């Protein structure tokens, strides 16, 4: 099928990512309920109400001693819009995650591209394994945004030209860069999310520091905000125990 001229959108540029919590079945009680079966058999679903202080202590104990499986009996589905290079990193997380992403074979990809915001640190100082990021100059920022936008426009024009000539979307998309925005559903549980957050966020409470790329960290931070509201005791225990997934 040849795409029509009506499918000729103008490129737009974004510096933000979005994370929406679209579906969830996740609470601190889910952790207690799963853990208490080992000592007390079948449980009520509302375990937390029984004894809040003991419950808090149990969640902290499970986290500290890395009894991980009680943190798996819950589910959160996020709708994420972010550049393709973020999804490349994201999908390296194989365990406890399910993904469905928009298709470049079946969709005419829209020209929404990532450019770093003014607060994105641009310059890496130091050597691999031991480096810091520092803010760039205004000139570096302008150059970066201009170079990216020019190159995005050129790439998208080539994509459009091929589509207009009847070339299949799955072939034409090869010219599009990893700064193109994509979208996906990602479903996880608290344990797999904690493992992700331990690697993809930087935090003063982290026992094992990690050095994630800022853009995937932005996704992690948004997911963490949602999760902290759903499972406040589990989130607090994660922080209190050095942000190491159990
Ligand atoms: C700062 C940073 C830099 C990175 N740089 C690079 C890079 O340069 N190149 C690159 O390729 N990747 C890179 N990665 C990706 C990294 O190597 C991991 O693939 C990614 O972080 C997912 O972690 P994971 O495998 O622990 O997670 P998951 O795939 O979710 O696995 C969870 C856990 O399950 C177990 N597990 C899963 N699969 C196996 C298996 N096959 N065998 C044994 N145990 C298993 C492990 O205990 C693992 O920790 C980087 C990650 C970070 C955070």
């Amino acid at each position: 099928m040849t795409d029509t001229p009506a499918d000729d959108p103008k490129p737009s540029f974004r510096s933000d990512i979005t994370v929406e919590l679209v579906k969830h079945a996740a609470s601190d009680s889910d952790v207690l309920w799963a853990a208490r079966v080992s000592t007390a058999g079948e449980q009520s679903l509302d375990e937390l109400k029984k004894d809040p202080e003991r419950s808090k202590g149990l969640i902290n104990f499970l986290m500290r001693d890395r009894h991980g499986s009680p943190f798996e009996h819950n589910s959160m589905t996020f709708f994420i819009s972010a550049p393709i290079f973020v999804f490349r990193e994201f999908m390296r997380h194989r365990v406890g995650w399910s993904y469905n992403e928009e298709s470049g074979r079946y969709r005419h990809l829209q020209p929404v591209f990532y450019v770093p915001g003014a607060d994105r640190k641009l310059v890496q100082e130091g050597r691999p394994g031991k480096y810091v990021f520092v803010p760039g100059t205004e000139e570096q920022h302008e150059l970066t945004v201009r170079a990216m936008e020019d190159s995005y426009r050129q790439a998208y024009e080539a994509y459009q030209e091929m589509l207009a000539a009847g070339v299949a979307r799955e072939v034409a998309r090869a010219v599009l860069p990893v700064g193109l925005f994509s979208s996906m559903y990602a479903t996880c549980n608290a344990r797999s999310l904690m493992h992700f957050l331990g690697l993809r966020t930087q935090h003063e409470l982290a026992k094992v520091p990690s050095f994630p790329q800022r853009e995937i960290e932005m996704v992690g931070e948004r997911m963490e905000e949602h999760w902290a509201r759903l499972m406040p005791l589990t989130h607090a225990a994660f922080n209190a125990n050095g942000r190491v997934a159990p």
Side-chain angles (χ1 to χ4, degrees):
M1 188 190 87
T2 307
D3 282 273
T4 61
D7 296 322
D8 193 14
K10 294 283 160 275
S12 65
F13 307 103
R14 292 177 57 176
S15 304
D16 64 320
I17 50 87
T18 49
V19 176
E20 203 184 322
L21 177 70
V22 290
K23 207 152 68 83
H24 61 89
S27 72
D28 290 319
S29 285
D30 297 334
V31 179
L32 301 162
W33 164 88
R36 286 184 177 143
V37 76
S38 49
T39 52
E42 193 178 2
Q43 298 294 302
S44 89
L45 283 173
D46 208 355
E47 278 297 299
L48 190 59
K49 285 202 179 116
K50 277 189 189 162
D51 183 343
E53 266 320 294
R54 242 185 90 231
S55 297
K56 200 171 146 188
L58 176 57
I59 289 178
N60 194 60
F61 157 77
L62 296 168
M63 193 75 72
R64 190 197 66 206
D65 286 16
R66 304 194 70 197
H67 294 291
S69 52
F71 297 100
E72 295 172 8
H73 297 269
N74 57 82
S75 168
M76 290 164 274
T77 299
F78 299 98
F79 181 69
I80 301 168
S81 298
I84 288 170
F85 67 82
V86 169
F87 286 0
R88 266 185 77 166
E89 294 188 350
F90 207 128
M91 288 182 184
R92 298 301 305 279
H93 294 261
R94 298 157 288 178
V95 177
W97 286 91
S98 304
Y99 304 109
N100 278 91
E101 185 182 358
E102 68 175 272
S103 167
R105 299 184 66 199
Y106 307 134
R107 287 196 73 183
H108 183 159
L109 295 169
Q110 294 304 294
V112 182
F113 295 98
Y114 178 75
V115 290
D119 58 346
R120 182 14 167 141
K121 291 178 180 162
L122 289 185
V123 178
Q124 183 177 329
E125 286 181 353
R127 57 181 166 76
K130 195 173 186 341
Y131 53 80
V132 287
F133 279 87
V134 296
T137 60
E138 218 169 287
E139 291 72 38
Q140 282 172 320
H141 187 260
E142 274 171 27
L143 165 70
T144 304
V145 170
R146 179 168 41 79
M148 284 186 178
E149 290 187 2
D150 287 351
S151 134
Y152 290 153
R153 280 200 184 88
Q154 199 183 0
Y156 200 73
E157 253 175 55
Y159 176 67
Q160 293 284 77
E161 191 184 348
M162 283 186 271
L163 294 185
V167 174
R169 287 180 286 252
E170 70 181 37
V171 177
R173 67 170 170 175
V175 293
L176 295 175
V178 292
L180 183 76
F181 268 72
S182 185
S183 58
M184 69 168 174
Y185 288 118
T187 298
C188 63
N189 59 56
R191 189 182 192 187
S192 53
L193 180 60
M194 285 187 272
H195 185 68
F196 180 96
L197 295 176
L199 291 168
R200 302 296 186 176
T201 59
Q202 284 193 301
H203 199 284
E204 58 189 13
L205 296 174
K207 227 162 28 191
V208 185
S210 192
F211 301 92
Q213 168 141 3
R214 177 61 194 142
E215 287 76 13
I216 195 168
E217 185 180 35
M218 285 153 61
V219 176
E221 287 170 352
R222 298 289 90 74
M223 291 194 301
E224 183 167 357
E225 286 163 13
H226 288 296
W227 171 55
R229 277 193 287 274
L230 298 174
M231 303 179 75
L233 296 183
T234 306
H235 181 249
F238 177 56
N239 276 335
N241 289 280
R243 294 175 67 86
V244 175

